[in-house]
Amino acid sequence: MAEGGQLRLILRRWSILGLPLPMWLCPRSTSFETVEDGKFRFHVEISHPLTGLIVRYRGWLKPVGSQGSSEIVSPAVLPSSRQP
């Protein structure tokens, strides 16, 4: 879903081994993609009400240059919300 210049991932259903599961048991996700300064930027965060934060990462990709070379950029590391 496009919202405020971001492409957001919205979970509408989920299943395990093809068996549909109720949405109230579903992990929560804050995930989006944007384009800023010519870079594809992404942010993914998955948590569950019972376990808390499961995974969080973000980073960016730069397009391949006109000479066929590309720049590899390390993703930004976010501190865990569980750290002091």
Side-chain angles (χ1 to χ4, degrees):
M1 171 164 135
E3 179 182 291
Q6 297 179 339
L7 183 59
R8 293 194 164 274
L9 173 69
I10 298 176
L11 192 59
R12 304 218 186 265
R13 62 181 171 257
W14 75 304
S15 63
I16 293 179
L17 301 173
L19 179 65
L21 296 172
M23 289 301 291
W24 63 269
L25 285 174
C26 179
R28 308 300 186 252
S29 174
T30 303
S31 303
F32 57 88
E33 304 169 350
T34 61
V35 175
E36 297 174 20
D37 303 323
K39 298 177 187 174
F40 172 80
R41 296 182 181 268
F42 56 91
H43 174 93
V44 177
E45 184 173 308
I46 300 171
S47 63
H48 194 276
L50 298 176
T51 62
L53 182 65
I54 297 169
V55 66
R56 177 191 303 148
Y57 62 94
R58 71 178 181 176
W60 61 92
L61 302 171
K62 293 180 96 173
V64 174
S66 61
Q67 301 297 321
S69 63
S70 63
E71 182 178 342
I72 298 173
V73 181
S74 298
V77 177
L78 290 177
S80 170
S81 61
R82 296 179 185 172
Q83 293 178 350

